[in-house]
Amino acid sequence: GVQVNVRMIAATNRDLKTMVREGRFREDLFYRLNVVRVHLPPLRERGADIQYLLEHFLHLYIQKFQKNLEGFSAESQQILLAYSYPGNVRELKNVVEFAVNVCSEVEIGVQHLPGYLKDAVDMEAEEVDFFENPRMTRSREEKSPGQATWTETEKEMILSALVRAKGKKQKAAELLGWGRSTLWRKMKHHRLTE
């Protein structure tokens, strides 16, 4: 027979131990996988990494979109560092891609960031204040609904690119730095197809 030497790396964001207890994950498979365990904390718990990743993706997208940008303004950087990134690195990358894509100035300002970021940072700050002085601020439940999300921001980004490309999908995909199939898939997801 043929002998093979295999190493397996598995990643999950689920609590497999709890799933084993509840009978939703095979115990034998859990113990086969659980040899060397590495816990990677969410991005919001790795403050220094956020600055590094912002710089990394900024330079990546400056080159990709061939933009002449110097970086983030002090105010936009403050918002980017204060945001908790529930979508982790993928969300941070999307945010920087969006900002570089829409910025036509030398510096990425607050106006170039997805709208939901400032709202979320303001809300998180308000919640901290609320616990310190409940009379001065409103809680999350009292906040007005309908604040923009990444999904809405991405939809706006696609529509903006289509307008700039005069409806030509290939050109819009190039403006966004995506392949045509990626644009088509995202348009379908946002129900922007005919």
Side-chain angles (χ1 to χ4, degrees):
V2 178
Q3 282 194 329
V4 291
N5 186 356
V6 178
R7 302 282 189 277
M8 181 180 283
I9 298 173
T12 183
N13 61 354
R14 299 184 181 227
D15 184 350
L16 294 183
K17 220 169 191 176
T18 303
M19 289 176 73
V20 167
R21 263 197 316 273
E22 294 171 351
R24 294 187 299 129
F25 194 83
R26 282 179 35 198
E27 189 172 16
D28 64 317
L29 182 56
F30 173 74
Y31 287 111
R32 282 174 198 257
L33 291 172
N34 195 27
V35 178
V36 177
R37 195 171 181 179
V38 178
H39 171 67
L40 184 63
L43 194 54
R44 68 182 167 272
E45 293 173 18
R46 302 178 355 235
D49 291 354
I50 294 174
Q51 179 69 58
Y52 168 76
L53 288 165
L54 285 170
E55 293 298 322
H56 168 74
F57 289 124
L58 175 69
H59 295 301
L60 179 85
Y61 288 117
I62 283 174
Q63 288 179 334
K64 186 173 182 177
F65 298 128
Q66 297 177 341
K67 294 277 189 122
N68 188 22
L69 289 172
E70 289 177 5
F72 301 104
S73 72
E75 197 182 350
S76 66
Q77 179 135 342
Q78 193 177 358
I79 290 168
L80 289 164
L81 292 172
Y83 183 60
S84 61
Y85 298 97
N88 285 313
V89 177
R90 186 176 292 135
E91 183 179 15
L92 184 145
K93 182 181 176 195
N94 287 343
V95 165
V96 177
E97 180 180 7
F98 174 83
V100 172
N101 206 337
V102 300
C103 183
S104 56
E105 296 166 33
V106 182
E107 214 174 41
I108 293 173
V110 176
Q111 70 275 21
H112 304 117
L113 300 178
Y116 75 92
L117 279 188
K118 190 168 183 334
D119 292 340
V121 167
D122 288 347
M123 193 184 295
E124 286 166 11
E126 243 187 51
E127 284 182 345
V128 170
D129 291 345
F130 179 76
F131 289 115
E132 289 170 4
N133 189 347
R135 271 176 254 176
M136 291 203 48
T137 56
R138 296 180 296 166
S139 68
R140 182 182 292 268
E141 287 74 32
E142 293 172 304
K143 272 297 224 185
S144 57
Q147 289 168 335
T149 62
W150 172 252
T151 304
E152 291 163 350
T153 302
E154 187 175 64
K155 186 176 178 179
E156 283 174 32
M157 188 167 116
I158 292 167
L159 289 169
S160 172
L162 285 166
V163 168
R164 283 187 288 154
K166 297 183 172 70
K168 292 184 172 66
K169 291 184 184 78
Q170 183 63 47
K171 178 70 177 160
E174 287 168 18
L175 287 169
L176 292 163
W178 298 340
R180 189 180 160 90
S181 61
T182 300
L183 175 62
W184 182 253
R185 182 174 44 79
K186 286 178 184 271
M187 283 178 68
K188 208 170 163 189
H189 171 75
H190 294 295
R191 297 188 176 99
L192 296 172
T193 52
E194 298 83 40

